[in-house]
Amino acid sequence: MIEIIRHHGTLLLVGSWPNGPLGGIAVTLLLAALGMILSFPIAILIGLARIGEWRWSRYAATAWVYAFRGIPLVMIIFWAYFVLPRVTGVAVPAFATALSAIVVYESAFLGEIVRAGLQGLPPGQLEAARSIGLSYRLAMWHVMLPQALANMLPSLVNQFVSTIKATSIVYIIGVQEVTFAAQQINSFEPDKALQTFVVLACFYFTVCYLISALAQYLERRLRSRRQWRTPPTPTGQEAT
Amino acid sequence: MVFDWTFLTGAGVATKLFSGVVTTLQLFAAAWIGGLAVALVIVALRAISFAPLGWFMRLFVEYHRNVPTVVQIMVWYFGVPEILPAPVQLWVNRSQSEFVFAAVALSLNVSAYYSEDIRSGLRAIPHTQIEAARAIGLSAFAAMRYVSIPQALRIAVPPLLNRTLILFKDTSLAMVIGVADLTYQVKAIENLTFRSFEVFAVATFVYLTFSLAIMGAGAWFGKRFPPGFKS
């Protein structure tokens, strides 16, 4: 295993960079981070539509969430691979194809996190904001969303871990991330498959375990802060 | 774009699709049963207080939760045969072993999550519930049967169903080692007929139907059996 890391460690970390394209775990993290960042605005719209008053936007957001939670990511990648070149009229690089699929896929999961964050706030928050004269939109923007976002932070970090794990499948369309690198190493050294894939697993484990630990820390801190600030309410409101 | 569904009746297309759906469902069923069985063993083993065993079980659960399912499948299919005895390796190379390895990998993966869900269901029932049940004259078995298990199930089943949905979707990952499931057959039919839109639409519809059924079961359970109390 040490040998695999010594000979191919940089391939797993950054691909053939700086002499070639960036790859390895760096691209995995880049893909997951961009996926989260780009899907977040969509997720906020979905979350707002899911709890909103307009019936049709609520139906549309619900359908979006259920559809993309129910289809495997591989199928969404196939769709992106097939649809994107036709819509844009040019050849779309593998990274952009994978990123688009991940943004659509993650927006459904993040949308549910946003919805839970908004619904987890005491209803008095919205009522108070409305009663001091804020419009629904301003009340959401200045009162509800900032509080909900603070409460969602642990879930968002956990979702980041899920996204990192989900990106491992995009090597099938040729994105040069860390699983792709491991497949390359496996083709150079076919008699060391177990070592190669265990090393790959260790890479993912280290990254995901550390980020999960961060999520747990944030959750503990959030819980202690919330206990200090608000006494338990008789209605039993709790953040999910 | 012209939609042409007649390709479905073309040479072997429908057969391929159907065998893909069957393989997907078989893999799902095998991993589900295997995963639940292993999860119950894990729950039992984690109740034993013996430190090294406890560390090992924690490592088992954390490995399966922090490594992508695809990589777990690869470790089993490409890696594990290397350390198996020669006769087993021969069998692996000769026979259709992809399905077995995929089922093992998915079972172990889902068992780690199932065991955590079952444990948190059991932990959520305060011990005073059992004491109260015994105090009003129920036997130990009746206290479990009528008091603690019904309450634990109400807490554990929704996350278990949610994980079952993820397991169903994860069966699509088995295509990376060549299991001829629905996703694999879709790719094969697309290469054969170039009717990408139609064949993707059919597969998406099939996946969505089963996923929505699992989600519906979750919603029904949550409504029919809401948690008894909030801690």
Side-chain angles (χ1 to χ4, degrees):
Chain A
M1 263 165 73
I2 303 291
E3 221 172 293
I4 293 280
I5 296 177
R6 226 183 37 222
H7 288 150
H8 306 290
T10 54
L11 188 65
L12 289 167
L13 275 176
V14 290
S16 44
W17 189 81
N19 304 316
L22 190 65
I25 197 100
V27 166
T28 295
L29 289 172
L30 191 68
L31 194 58
L34 281 176
M36 289 281 283
I37 292 167
L38 295 177
S39 62
F40 198 60
I42 309 173
I44 288 184
L45 290 179
I46 292 171
L48 287 173
R50 290 267 282 158
I51 63 159
E53 299 280 311
W54 294 336
R55 194 192 302 172
W56 291 109
S57 65
R58 203 168 61 226
Y59 289 166
T62 308
W64 178 279
V65 166
Y66 277 75
F68 289 113
R69 274 178 61 203
I71 308 171
L73 179 59
V74 193
M75 279 309 300
I76 302 176
I77 291 172
F78 283 179
W79 275 112
Y81 198 73
F82 163 68
V83 169
L84 281 178
R86 293 182 174 226
V87 173
T88 58
V90 290
V92 180
F95 183 86
T97 308
L99 183 60
S100 316
I102 286 168
V103 166
V104 168
Y105 183 69
E106 288 301 328
S107 71
F109 292 89
L110 285 180
E112 284 299 89
I113 292 176
V114 172
R115 180 182 67 90
L118 287 169
Q119 285 180 335
L121 294 174
Q125 290 289 328
L126 182 61
E127 289 160 16
R130 295 303 305 275
S131 67
I132 59 168
L134 293 180
S135 67
Y136 184 83
R137 199 181 342 161
L138 285 177
M140 279 293 161
W141 187 247
H142 289 295
V143 179
M144 299 293 279
L145 277 175
Q147 295 189 77
L149 284 180
N151 290 348
M152 285 185 295
L153 207 57
S155 312
L156 290 177
V157 177
N158 273 327
Q159 192 59 34
F160 185 51
V161 174
S162 300
T163 312
I164 291 173
K165 292 193 289 170
T167 59
S168 57
I169 189 64
V170 301
Y171 85 91
I172 60 167
I173 57 166
V175 181
Q176 305 200 2
E177 40 74 76
V178 69
T179 307
F180 188 91
Q183 290 277 2
Q184 279 180 303
I185 296 169
N186 191 33
S187 61
F188 305 148
E189 317 214 16
D191 54 332
K192 289 184 186 142
L194 183 62
Q195 299 174 40
T196 306
F197 287 107
V198 168
V199 167
L200 174 66
C202 289
F203 265 73
Y204 276 112
F205 185 89
T206 311
V207 171
C208 295
Y209 189 81
L210 289 177
I211 302 174
S212 300
L214 172 70
Q216 274 168 20
Y217 163 76
L218 289 171
E219 204 163 338
R220 269 201 307 276
R221 209 184 58 161
L222 184 71
R223 206 177 298 146
S224 62
R225 206 180 51 181
R226 201 183 288 145
Q227 272 165 1
W228 168 71
R229 212 194 267 160
T230 53
T233 49
T235 50
Q237 273 296 333
E238 54 186 320
T240 40
Chain B
M1 194 158 45
V2 185
F3 304 135
D4 179 10
W5 298 95
T6 52
F7 84 102
L8 276 175
T9 58
V13 170
T15 326
K16 272 201 166 66
L17 269 179
F18 184 73
S19 86
V21 174
V22 170
T23 306
T24 290
L25 292 180
Q26 282 173 338
L27 186 57
F28 172 63
W32 186 70
I33 294 170
L36 211 53
V38 177
L40 291 173
V41 174
I42 296 173
V43 171
L45 287 178
R46 291 196 79 169
I48 301 170
S49 52
F50 174 59
L53 181 68
W55 297 330
F56 176 75
M57 296 320 291
R58 266 204 65 182
L59 183 67
F60 177 89
V61 170
E62 292 298 337
Y63 167 79
H64 288 98
R65 295 210 306 186
N66 287 298
V67 173
T69 314
V70 184
V71 177
Q72 292 171 26
I73 293 173
M74 288 173 175
V75 168
W76 273 99
Y77 183 68
F78 296 117
V80 168
E82 256 179 37
I83 50 167
L84 293 176
V88 186
Q89 276 193 33
L90 209 65
W91 172 81
V92 165
N93 293 334
R94 275 213 196 122
S95 57
Q96 303 264 313
S97 55
E98 311 90 22
F99 184 91
V100 177
F101 281 107
V104 168
L106 287 173
S107 292
L108 293 180
N109 172 266
V110 82
S111 75
Y113 290 94
Y114 277 170
S115 70
E116 289 293 284
D117 293 338
I118 296 172
R119 265 158 47 89
S120 61
L122 290 173
R123 262 202 311 253
I125 310 304
H127 200 253
T128 49
Q129 291 278 327
I130 303 278
E131 288 166 14
R134 296 303 306 275
I136 59 165
L138 292 180
S139 67
F141 178 76
M144 283 232 318
R145 166 77 184 75
Y146 294 108
V147 178
S148 66
I149 287 182
Q151 295 189 79
L153 280 182
R154 282 163 188 247
I155 295 169
V157 167
L160 284 173
L161 278 171
N162 193 31
R163 182 49 57 179
T164 305
L165 170 66
I166 299 174
L167 170 66
F168 174 67
K169 292 194 295 171
D170 277 356
T171 57
S172 65
L173 303 176
M175 72 165 282
V176 302
I177 57 167
V179 177
D181 75 327
L182 180 57
T183 309
Y184 180 95
Q185 297 290 17
V186 158
K187 208 66 202 143
I189 296 169
E190 198 222 358
N191 286 338
L192 218 67
T193 62
F194 300 106
R195 309 290 336 170
S196 313
F197 179 87
E198 292 88 342
V199 72
F200 289 170
V202 171
T204 302
F205 176 77
V206 172
Y207 274 117
L208 212 47
T209 309
F210 287 107
S211 291
L212 287 175
I214 298 172
M215 287 188 225
W220 172 82
F221 187 92
K223 230 177 227 157
R224 178 70 183 75
F225 303 107
F229 62 91
K230 282 181 179 170
S231 51

